Amino acid sequence: MARVLLIEDDPAVQKGVSLALGRRGHDVEIAARGETGLLALERYRPDLVLLDLMLPQMSGLEVCRRIRESKQVPIIILSARGDEIDMVVGLEAGADDYITKPASGEIIEARMKAVLRRVAPSQDAHGAEPPVGVEHYAGLTVDRTTLVVTKNGAELTLAPSELKLLLFLTSTPGKVHSRQQLLEQVWEYAFYGDVRLVDACVMRLRAKIENHPRRPVYVQTVRGFGYRFGPVE
């Protein structure tokens, strides 16, 4: 069971999502506005946030950005706006996934489960324990035991998707992974995922770990294919 905060102003969607998730054993708290959603986040302490983009007064994008300033809680945008630009902007704001409404309870729960598995990436996608220890990469330190990442001694706040992506890439330094491979390994979306999830997450991760995100040293692009980590001396 997961504690889910649904920030959504449409009563019909509120009822439909809460009933669908409630039948599956999840506990759902509803907030109709961004401001009340942020207050509920502190009080309710959810495992996951479902967030509409088109909210009155404070937009869903602003809510997402404010959450990401200090919280690592997974965020899934649930929006009727299915245009590519809306999806990309939402992911760049810090969301872990993007679902276009209307969506069935089965789809929402499947995406929730995949995102929640990334919160505690103690195992790889095949159930094998990952390497344990502290790794150092020219100012960047990755502690696989505590899941703490630091840059020049300062701890970084990484969203679940950013952390699992970094853990996966650093487990195979120098190896090139396609976007589809990363989608399957990190997001666990073999069939219904969107590779733009990968690109948006890489951009956010670079903004946090790279000295010059436009000239990345750690997470490098292999043009026309995908990404690799380093090698970094």
Side-chain angles (χ1 to χ4, degrees), residues 35-108:
E35 297 87 341
T36 54
L38 292 174
L39 292 174
L41 183 70
E42 299 296 335
R43 171 181 52 80
Y44 182 61
R45 298 188 179 278
D47 300 309
L48 181 141
V49 175
L50 290 176
L51 175 63
D52 184 26
L53 283 184
M54 299 178 67
L55 295 171
Q57 297 180 353
M58 183 185 295
S59 72
L61 287 176
E62 181 61 23
V63 173
C64 187
R65 293 189 185 102
R66 292 200 184 189
I67 293 174
R68 276 291 169 259
E69 288 175 357
S70 59
K71 305 291 185 184
Q72 299 180 14
V73 61
I75 301 171
I76 297 178
I77 288 178
L78 188 60
S79 177
R81 294 164 60 173
D83 293 342
E84 180 176 348
I85 186 63
D86 293 317
M87 178 183 295
V88 172
V89 170
L91 295 172
E92 289 178 352
D96 295 280
D97 203 349
Y98 192 110
I99 302 175
T100 302
K101 293 186 291 188
S104 68
E106 290 80 2
I107 289 294
I108 294 173

Side-chain angles (χ1 to χ4, degrees), residues 30-196:
I30 297 174
R33 295 178 178 271
E35 297 87 341
T36 54
L38 292 174
L39 292 174
L41 183 70
E42 299 296 335
R43 171 181 52 80
Y44 182 61
R45 298 188 179 278
D47 300 309
L48 181 141
V49 175
L50 290 176
L51 175 63
D52 184 26
L53 283 184
M54 299 178 67
L55 295 171
Q57 297 180 353
M58 183 185 295
S59 72
L61 287 176
E62 181 61 23
V63 173
C64 187
R65 293 189 185 102
R66 292 200 184 189
I67 293 174
R68 276 291 169 259
E69 288 175 357
S70 59
K71 305 291 185 184
Q72 299 180 14
V73 61
I75 301 171
I76 297 178
I77 288 178
L78 188 60
S79 177
R81 294 164 60 173
D83 293 342
E84 180 176 348
I85 186 63
D86 293 317
M87 178 183 295
V88 172
V89 170
L91 295 172
E92 289 178 352
D96 295 280
D97 203 349
Y98 192 110
I99 302 175
T100 302
K101 293 186 291 188
S104 68
E106 290 80 2
I107 289 294
I108 294 173
E109 186 181 40
R111 304 285 275 266
M112 282 173 47
K113 286 182 175 179
V115 169
L116 287 169
R117 281 194 292 268
R118 300 199 294 273
V119 176
S122 58
Q123 295 183 334
D124 65 19
H126 305 289
E129 294 293 335
V132 175
V134 180
E135 301 166 1
H136 301 276
Y137 304 99
L140 185 71
T141 300
V142 179
D143 189 328
R144 292 182 176 275
T145 302
T146 63
L147 302 182
V148 171
V149 179
T150 62
K151 178 181 177 182
N152 299 325
E155 184 174 343
L156 300 178
T157 299
L158 300 182
S161 299
E162 298 161 8
L163 176 59
K164 191 165 185 182
L165 176 62
L166 180 62
L167 291 174
F168 181 74
L169 290 174
T170 54
S171 69
T172 56
K175 183 176 180 179
V176 180
H177 300 278
S178 71
R179 290 171 172 81
Q180 184 61 40
Q181 289 170 337
L182 291 172
L183 194 64
E184 294 174 7
Q185 292 295 322
V186 177
W187 280 262
E188 303 179 30
Y189 297 161
F191 303 108
Y192 54 82
D194 191 314
V195 294
R196 287 172 294 188

